[in-house]
């Protein structure tokens, strides 16, 4: 996905991360890149990356563990069988 720098960045970054979760780039149970790593990848400040990851979390696709990182939810964690 091409990032359009004339529009707000955080929703675009969130969309990329969500797509990576859905297409299996970040499979269930895997750790997603840190805020710092996402900020570096997209050339944005940490607060923009943080806002993007909050949007991903709001979609109930990830969980954060203090001191460990952010992980993609498994089907079981999402309420699946």
């Amino acid at each position: 996905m091409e990032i359009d720098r004339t529009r707000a960045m955080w929703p675009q970054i969130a969309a990329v991360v969500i797509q990576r979760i859905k297409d299996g780039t970040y499979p269930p149970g895997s750790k997603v890149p840190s805020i710092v790593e996402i900020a570096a990848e997209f050339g944005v400040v940490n607060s923009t990356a943080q806002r993007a990851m909050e949007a991903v979390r709001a979609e109930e696709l990830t969980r954060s563990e203090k001191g460990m990182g952010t992980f993609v939810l498994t089907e079981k964690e999402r309420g699946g069988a």
Side-chain angles (χ1 to χ4, degrees):
M1 175 180 182
E2 188 74 22
I3 297 295
D4 179 355
R5 295 204 174 266
T6 64
R7 298 181 334 170
M9 295 291 291
W10 71 266
Q12 296 179 79
I13 296 167
V16 169
V17 173
I18 289 168
Q19 183 57 46
R20 289 176 180 175
I21 291 169
K22 290 181 176 181
D23 73 13
T25 301
Y26 304 146
S30 70
K31 186 175 180 179
V32 298
S34 71
I35 297 300
V36 172
E37 291 168 327
I38 289 171
E41 177 182 350
F42 292 98
V44 297
V45 296
N46 289 355
S47 60
T48 299
Q50 176 68 37
R51 189 165 181 193
M53 291 309 294
E54 287 170 0
V56 174
R57 195 171 310 114
E59 294 291 322
E60 299 181 355
L61 295 172
T62 60
R63 63 178 164 76
S64 295
E65 292 184 26
K66 190 168 182 136
M68 298 294 291
T70 300
F71 298 85
V72 178
L73 292 178
T74 64
E75 281 297 315
K76 185 176 182 180
E77 290 171 315
R78 288 188 198 159

